[in-house]
Amino acid sequence: MIEELKENPERGRPLYSKLVSAVIRGARKRKYYIRSLPTGHGKTRLGVADILYISATKIYDKNKGEWLHNPYPEPSLIITTELEFEEIQTMALAFIAEVDEDDLLDNNLTEEEYKRIEIAENVLRESPIYFEYLPAFDADDIEHVIKKHVLNNEIQYCFFDYIHPNTKLLYSM
């Protein structure tokens, strides 16, 4: 084991939060992470940011004033059960372009921010990020969607937002 760790240290892809990455040693394959926070404290935003950090081909860094390229974007899946694609899309575009999502939704962007959003749209299209909306689901549905994207898109990471009681899930139990 020691020789294996010398060759391949147990560390996954960095996440958006450097602190979380340090604590959990990055997003490691074959590991499950559960983020638990009260309602409205950003679980979805943090999960989407993590997937974009792993899978987007580039992300704008306002502090550096430049686009940071991801040399190894890995295919990822975002499964949402509550938010529709359009809501996740604006969140993703704002994150990639590093603009305030409220300003995007209110059409209150500067010309420079609008140009970044246009670039972010192309980044989102070219990045290996897949979205699924499952408003009513059971365990079989989740398994089917993940397997489909593993086979068709070779996803390496999956973010599921979120487990909540629904008629189909309760019936399956």
Side-chain angles (χ1 to χ4, degrees):
M1 181 183 77
I2 293 169
E3 292 303 315
E4 173 64 24
L5 288 173
K6 282 182 183 177
E7 297 275 326
N8 300 305
E10 181 64 24
R11 180 158 303 279
R13 292 292 299 263
L15 298 169
Y16 175 64
S17 166
K18 289 182 176 146
L19 176 62
V20 172
S21 279
V23 169
I24 66 171
R25 304 185 60 76
R28 294 177 289 156
K29 295 178 183 176
R30 299 179 312 277
K31 306 289 186 219
Y32 293 96
Y33 302 98
I34 297 174
R35 185 175 276 135
S36 178
L37 295 167
T39 299
H41 279 73
K43 294 179 294 294
T44 301
R45 290 181 190 290
L46 291 169
V48 169
D50 287 340
I51 288 296
L52 292 169
Y53 207 71
I54 291 169
S55 300
T57 57
K58 59 185 172 183
I59 293 175
Y60 189 76
D61 184 330
K62 201 185 299 187
N63 292 333
K64 294 181 179 180
E66 63 185 25
W67 288 92
L68 304 178
H69 293 270
N70 179 355
Y72 306 107
E74 293 198 65
S76 297
L77 171 64
I78 296 173
I79 302 173
T80 177
T81 64
E82 186 180 49
L83 300 178
E84 294 181 9
F85 173 70
E86 290 77 18
E87 294 172 278
I88 298 290
Q89 184 180 31
T90 57
M91 196 182 299
L93 290 170
F95 178 82
I96 292 169
E98 198 173 343
V99 301
D100 188 292
E101 185 182 2
D102 286 335
D103 289 342
L104 173 61
L105 293 169
D106 293 338
N107 193 25
N108 192 26
L109 298 173
T110 66
E111 188 62 35
E112 195 270 333
E113 288 173 328
Y114 186 74
K115 287 177 184 171
R116 291 199 322 252
I117 285 292
E118 289 177 331
I119 293 169
E121 180 182 13
N122 290 327
V123 168
L124 197 54
R125 285 184 203 278
E126 72 187 19
S127 297
I129 303 168
Y130 305 93
F131 298 88
E132 287 280 348
Y133 176 56
L134 283 177
F137 61 90
D138 62 16
D140 290 336
D141 294 330
I142 298 166
E143 184 177 356
H144 171 75
V145 166
I146 293 171
K147 282 182 178 178
K148 176 180 84 171
H149 283 277
V150 166
L151 293 172
N152 296 338
N153 303 312
E154 299 179 7
I155 64 159
Q156 300 295 309
Y157 298 91
C158 179
F159 169 66
F160 182 82
D161 182 50
Y162 69 101
I163 298 173
H164 59 85
N166 69 71
T167 306
K168 189 171 184 182
L169 182 61
L170 293 173
Y171 182 75
S172 71
M173 291 180 183

